[in-house]
Amino acid sequence: MKKKVLSGIQPSGKLHIGNYFGMIKRMVEYQESSDLFLFIANLHSLTTLQDKDRMKTMTLEAATDLLALGIDPCKCHFWVQSDVPEVAELTWILSCITPMGLMERAHSFKDKIAKGIKPNLGLFCYPALMTADILINQSEVIPVGKDQKQHVEMARDIAIKFNNQFGDVFTIPEPDILEDVAVVPGTDGQKMSKSYGNTIPIFDEPSVIKKAVMGIVTDSKGVDAPKAPEKCHVFALYKLFATAEERTSMAGEYRKGKIGYGDAKKALLERIQNTFEPFQKKRAELTARPKEVERILEEGAEKVRKITLKTLEQVRTATGLRY
Ligand code: ADP
Ligand code: TRP
């Protein structure tokens, strides 16, 4: 039996190549090796994104982007969180057995407050919602970055507590910490991130992508000077796209002073264009047919509700809410 792997992605605007290599590519791989459950976490976004039009657009765009990048609704469960209302009911039920102290220890809540985000009750209860996402699908493996590890541990604690109190209803999930995912550097060498304005976008005009690549910061060594590939952000990005042989060959050219940064950037740009061109085409096709995306999401929610309704029924029975 394939393992049930679940992840949620908050709609977060223009995707960049850090998102692709850090997460989306892995999801596309998971849909081959596992029983993948992937959803757009719009109820999570609502804790901070409170603008009707932006919420609608960003949700549809996130879905379109993921479909364009290879998420295949025939190979996985793919839906929008709020289309499966059972998760909200389970959140409430789980909140009632979750000790306040457990929530109060959540790092991400403390971090968000430290960043000046005004806390609301939803932001505080966010780990309970994430727990419900995980448990309602009886998920086994949760691939997450280190920042989300504590939330999966909370989900385990809450599942164990529920099972002890009401009988074995929930599968106990395991985090799969994505430690080996290399941090993709941005054009300035820091972690590529929207918040640092150093991204290379995936779905933008070719001129915008080119400008970002040509703007990658390098030292000022001339074309003929020997260069250290391991210190160069252009090379670090090129590595993501190249085969082992191509990496060795480019590294050799760097060391021997046979390539300048301008040409290295051109080679990188070509790789980026070749890799993402089919995805860009697919995205343009999907954007032209928004009804098709909506249909995929509707069917995705319908498919997953066969599982969520069943789990919720077990929970209602186990707790005595089904009288
Ligand atoms: P951003 O930092 O641009 O706001 P998010 O926090 O929305 O990106 O990240 C969404 C997903 O993409 C997360 O799973 C995260 O681990 C992954 N990711 C984002 N940036 C990078 C990066 N530079 N390298 C590797 N993975 C990344
Ligand atoms: N909280 C996650 C994030 O911000 C998104 C998410 C919501 C999630 N529910 C989940 C991830 C369940 C894994 C499992 O990135």
Side-chain angles (χ1 to χ4, degrees):
M1 273 282 270
K2 284 182 174 178
K3 287 250 181 199
K4 271 184 156 183
V5 174
L6 174 132
S7 189
I9 297 180
Q10 294 201 43
S12 69
K14 279 186 185 168
L15 290 179
H16 53 71
I17 65 177
N19 298 134
Y20 181 70
F21 287 102
M23 200 235 329
I24 298 165
K25 192 163 174 255
R26 298 199 55 129
M27 292 303 141
V28 173
E29 288 160 4
Y30 271 123
Q31 77 185 353
E32 302 298 337
S33 62
S34 324
D35 186 11
L36 177 68
F37 287 68
L38 184 66
F39 63 95
I40 312 286
N42 61 345
L43 293 174
H44 284 266
S45 294
L46 192 61
T47 58
T48 49
L49 173 61
Q50 297 173 355
D51 174 313
K52 174 186 165 186
D53 291 335
R54 269 171 50 80
M55 177 65 92
K56 283 166 70 165
T57 324
M58 285 173 75
T59 303
L60 271 176
E61 275 180 3
T64 309
D65 289 349
L66 289 166
L67 291 167
L69 288 167
I71 292 301
D72 179 346
C74 299
K75 293 187 181 166
C76 66
H77 291 79
F78 181 60
W79 74 101
V80 175
Q81 190 180 26
S82 61
D83 287 340
V84 178
E86 293 74 43
V87 81
E89 184 175 335
L90 183 61
T91 303
W92 174 256
I93 296 173
L94 295 177
S95 307
C96 295
I97 62 152
T98 303
M100 280 293 282
L102 186 68
M103 291 286 130
E104 280 164 358
R105 284 194 293 276
H107 307 304
S108 77
F109 180 70
K110 290 187 217 164
D111 291 350
K112 283 178 184 151
I113 304 250
K115 278 192 199 146
I117 294 178
K118 268 205 200 145
N120 52 48
L121 194 53
L123 195 66
F124 181 70
C125 297
Y126 177 116
L129 176 59
M130 186 159 157
T131 298
D133 294 327
I134 294 171
L135 301 188
I136 202 156
N137 285 297
Q138 306 286 10
S139 326
E140 296 169 5
V141 179
I142 318 299
V144 280
K146 282 190 204 127
D147 59 321
Q148 297 287 327
K149 180 173 174 232
Q150 194 193 25
H151 293 156
V152 181
E153 283 162 357
M154 289 173 157
R156 281 177 65 85
D157 288 351
I158 297 171
I160 293 169
K161 191 153 190 287
F162 185 98
N163 285 355
N164 283 341
Q165 198 152 331
F166 296 110
D168 274 344
V169 171
F170 294 125
T171 304
I172 311 299
E174 298 275 349
D176 174 15
I177 306 302
L178 305 175
E179 308 236 25
D180 57 321
V181 173
V183 171
V184 176
T187 52
D188 58 357
Q190 290 189 80
K191 175 187 182 245
M192 187 177 289
S193 170
K194 289 189 289 303
S195 25
Y196 302 148
N198 62 358
T199 63
I200 301 176
I202 300 177
F203 295 121
D204 228 320
E205 295 299 316
S207 60
V208 176
I209 299 176
K210 181 171 179 190
K211 194 165 166 227
V213 172
M214 291 304 165
I216 298 172
V217 176
T218 61
D219 60 31
S220 53
K221 288 203 173 91
V223 177
D224 303 334
K227 304 170 189 70
E230 60 283 351
K231 288 196 185 143
C232 175
H233 314 317
V234 182
F235 184 76
L237 289 163
Y238 178 80
K239 271 197 328 193
L240 296 168
F241 297 90
T243 62
E245 278 151 39
E246 288 166 338
R247 283 182 212 170
T248 314
S249 155
M250 171 82 91
E253 290 184 25
Y254 262 71
R255 291 200 184 93
K256 289 185 212 136
K258 286 200 166 162
I259 187 166
Y261 291 123
D263 282 337
K265 287 178 182 176
K266 280 188 199 145
L268 169 62
L269 181 61
E270 196 186 293
R271 289 310 162 99
I272 294 178
Q273 285 165 340
N274 291 345
T275 306
F276 293 117
E277 199 183 63
F279 302 139
Q280 287 156 350
K281 278 201 180 131
K282 178 92 200 276
R283 187 170 184 277
E285 281 167 29
L286 288 164
T287 310
R289 288 182 294 141
K291 288 276 170 260
E292 169 72 3
V293 176
E294 285 169 32
R295 185 192 58 80
I296 291 172
L297 294 173
E298 242 173 70
E299 285 179 12
E302 216 174 287
K303 192 165 116 189
V304 84
R305 286 188 84 194
K306 295 209 170 81
I307 301 167
T308 57
L309 280 163
K310 188 169 157 213
T311 310
L312 194 60
E313 201 44 45
Q314 288 169 338
V315 170
R316 288 180 182 144
T317 305
T319 49
L321 291 170
R322 171 72 61 235
Y323 56 91

